[in-house]
């Protein structure tokens, strides 16, 4: 089968490898489409904390089940599915409380011997399989996993319909976080970024306002003026230097900021502002099954056009181009999908 490898920093190759065998509790999925995620770009850049080249990349997937293990009882050949791509391993507080994202030893595609989703075929434990309704296409179904990140972030923020909400960063995760916030009923929303075309996507997804902060040293006050005051909630979906303190400045007293982006290195923290104004800074890591199920419900309902985040569909042979496009923001790329097996669909 063909598989997309991140061989080294900024080096992507498509290689032929053996189709993996399945264990008794696993299923084999013929991949229709896989998405390039921001964390995949961290791997591509050699910056990911635990997913290191060389590796078959990818963790977003949608496709058809073509084989099942002997112990599989709830999934059958021919099912259209996506996957919640994380496992908690070992004894840990996270597993005991039902929060897999708290697990001391978390396993995901591209780690250990678990190959990533960007290949003709992908192996998943039955427990992680999410059936796709007939009304949900593979292109929309593959968005379930990244949208679950946004759903979890909205849950951690405690979004209410009357909240004034800022989403800082309009990459794919920022846009899907906006979709989750909108699904919670919040209408008074603004999205910031440095790229106009990404902000246009935010408007498509229902942002009340958008603001390009590029070259604007006073953007914090301008954003507040645009929205008529400070914010109840801020979702931080861009991991750039200084963004934590900037986000705290956007908050009203007693407001809450949630870190959604993947950060590298240290960030400065204005503890005085945090303490004296009783603002909250909350961490956010992936998702759990209820978040994934809610994400698929949002996609199925079609009240928010989440598919608008998709900017490009590339064939597997063009995977290296896709990674470069996402990394360099070429050709107004936002969410780039890599397709497989299309002639067989």
């Amino acid at each position: 089968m063909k598989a997309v490898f991140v061989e080294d920093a900024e080096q992507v190759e498509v290689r032929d490898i053996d189709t993996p065998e399945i264990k008794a509790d696993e299923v084999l999925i013929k991949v229709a489409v896989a998405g390039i995620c921001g964390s995949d770009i961290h791997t591509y850049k050699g910056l990911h904390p635990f997913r290191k080249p060389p590796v078959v990349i990818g963790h977003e997937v949608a496709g058809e089940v073509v084989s099942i293990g002997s112990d599989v009882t709830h999934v059958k050949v021919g099912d259209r599915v996506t996957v919640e791509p994380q496992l908690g391993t070992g004894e840990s507080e996270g597993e005991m409380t039902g929060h897999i994202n708290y697990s001391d030893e978390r396993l995901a595609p591209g780690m250990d011997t678990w190959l990533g989703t960007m290949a003709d075929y992908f192996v998943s434990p039955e427990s992680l399989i999410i059936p796709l309704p007939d009304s949900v296409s593979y292109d929309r179904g593959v968005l379930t996993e990244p949208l679950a990140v946004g759903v979890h972030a909205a849950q951690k923020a405690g979004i209410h319909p009357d909240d004034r909400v800022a989403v800082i960063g309009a990459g794919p995760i920022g846009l899907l976080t906006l979709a989750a916030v909108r699904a919670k009923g919040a209408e008074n929303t603004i999205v910031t970024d440095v790229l106009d075309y990404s902000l246009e996507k935010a408007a498509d997804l229902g942002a009340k306002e958008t603001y390009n902060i590029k070259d604007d040293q006073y953007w914090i006050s301008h954003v507040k003026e645009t929205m008529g005051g400070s914010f109840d909630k801020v979702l931080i979906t861009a991991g750039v230097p200084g963004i934590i303190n900037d986000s705290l400045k956007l908050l009203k007293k007693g407001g809450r900021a949630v870190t959604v982006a993947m950060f590298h290195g240290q960030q400065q923290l204005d503890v005085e502002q945090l303490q004296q104004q009783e603002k909250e800074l909350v961490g956010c890591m992936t998702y759990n099954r209820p978040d994934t199920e809610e994400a698929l419900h949002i996609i199925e309902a079609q009240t928010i056009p989440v598919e608008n985040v998709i900017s490009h569909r590339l064939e597997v042979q063009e995977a290296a181009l896709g990674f470069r496009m996402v990394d360099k923001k070429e050709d107004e790329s936002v969410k780039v999908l890599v397709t497989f097996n299309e002639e067989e669909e």
Side-chain angles (χ1 to χ4, degrees):
M1 70 173 185
K2 295 188 183 305
V4 178
F5 280 80
V6 173
E7 295 282 3
D8 206 339
E10 300 187 30
Q11 182 181 343
V12 173
E13 295 182 7
V14 178
R15 283 203 258 145
D16 288 317
I17 62 173
D18 292 337
T19 301
E21 296 183 359
I22 58 174
K23 300 175 182 176
D25 64 342
E26 294 178 335
V27 306
L28 184 68
I29 299 167
K30 183 176 73 172
V31 176
V33 61
I36 298 178
C37 176
S39 65
D40 294 331
I41 297 301
H42 286 282
T43 304
Y44 172 72
K45 301 287 285 185
L47 299 174
H48 200 283
F50 54 79
R51 192 177 285 115
K52 302 295 184 181
V55 60
V56 178
I57 196 64
H59 57 273
E60 302 172 357
V61 66
E64 178 185 344
V65 175
V66 293
S67 181
I68 63 174
S70 58
D71 292 344
V72 172
T73 57
H74 295 98
V75 177
K76 65 182 184 301
V77 171
D79 283 352
R80 302 170 65 257
V81 300
T82 186
V83 172
E84 181 184 311
Q86 61 175 358
L87 281 169
T89 60
E91 286 296 323
S92 72
E93 179 183 359
E95 288 177 280
M96 289 187 286
T97 59
H99 295 274
I100 296 300
N101 62 335
Y102 292 176
S103 180
D104 293 337
E105 299 179 29
R106 180 175 165 271
L107 186 64
M111 296 176 61
D112 196 18
T113 60
W114 194 3
L115 301 182
T117 61
M118 214 165 285
D120 283 328
Y121 296 91
F122 174 68
V123 172
S124 171
E126 178 188 22
S127 61
L128 305 183
I129 296 294
I130 309 288
L132 291 178
D134 291 340
S135 62
V136 175
S137 68
Y138 286 140
D139 280 9
R140 291 168 59 224
V142 79
L143 299 176
T144 303
E145 191 274 345
L147 180 56
V149 174
V151 168
H152 189 65
Q155 184 270 327
K156 295 291 285 186
I159 298 294
H160 298 289
D162 58 350
D163 280 340
R164 183 183 289 132
V165 183
V167 178
I168 309 303
I173 291 298
L175 292 169
L176 291 172
T177 297
L178 169 67
V181 168
R182 294 283 294 111
K184 295 289 187 184
E187 296 184 359
N188 207 9
T189 58
I190 189 168
V191 178
T192 68
D193 202 86
V194 297
L195 297 171
D196 286 335
Y197 73 83
S198 292
L199 293 173
E200 290 172 6
K201 294 282 189 182
D204 290 343
L205 290 171
K208 181 178 180 181
E209 300 284 351
T210 62
Y211 194 87
N212 191 322
I213 67 174
K214 187 177 181 180
D215 301 323
D216 183 357
Q217 61 178 318
Y218 304 110
W219 69 270
I220 294 172
S221 60
H222 291 159
V223 166
K224 288 182 180 180
E225 290 170 7
T226 298
M227 294 298 288
S230 299
F231 292 83
D232 301 282
K233 310 289 167 56
V234 175
L235 288 301
I236 307 170
T237 54
V240 297
I243 198 64
I244 299 296
N245 285 340
D246 287 345
S247 296
L248 289 176
K249 291 174 185 176
L250 287 169
L251 285 175
K252 70 176 187 180
K253 293 180 180 181
R256 178 180 294 180
V258 177
T259 59
V260 188
M262 180 176 287
F263 289 86
H264 296 285
Q266 299 295 314
Q267 283 268 337
Q268 291 185 337
L269 177 62
D270 183 354
V271 176
E272 184 177 1
Q273 182 183 184
L274 195 73
Q275 181 179 28
Q276 294 186 5
Q277 299 184 29
E278 287 201 343
K279 297 177 180 180
E280 299 179 13
L281 180 63
V282 177
C284 181
M285 176 64 178
T286 64
Y287 39 74
N288 289 299
R289 181 54 64 95
D291 305 311
T292 308
E293 293 171 349
E294 184 175 340
L296 184 55
H297 175 73
I298 292 169
I299 291 169
E300 185 179 14
Q302 298 190 61
T303 54
I304 298 172
V306 294
E307 63 275 8
N308 285 1
V309 304
I310 300 170
S311 60
H312 296 78
R313 297 177 84 256
L314 303 177
E315 295 181 358
V316 60
Q317 292 84 357
E318 302 173 290
L321 171 63
F323 275 82
R324 192 187 74 214
M325 288 170 59
V326 175
D327 179 37
K328 305 295 185 184
K329 306 296 184 183
E330 294 177 352
D331 196 27
E332 299 191 354
S333 63
V334 183
K335 189 65 175 176
V336 176
L337 304 183
V338 178
T339 63
F340 299 81
N341 301 302
E342 284 205 308
E343 73 282 359
E344 298 176 50
E345 291 181 21

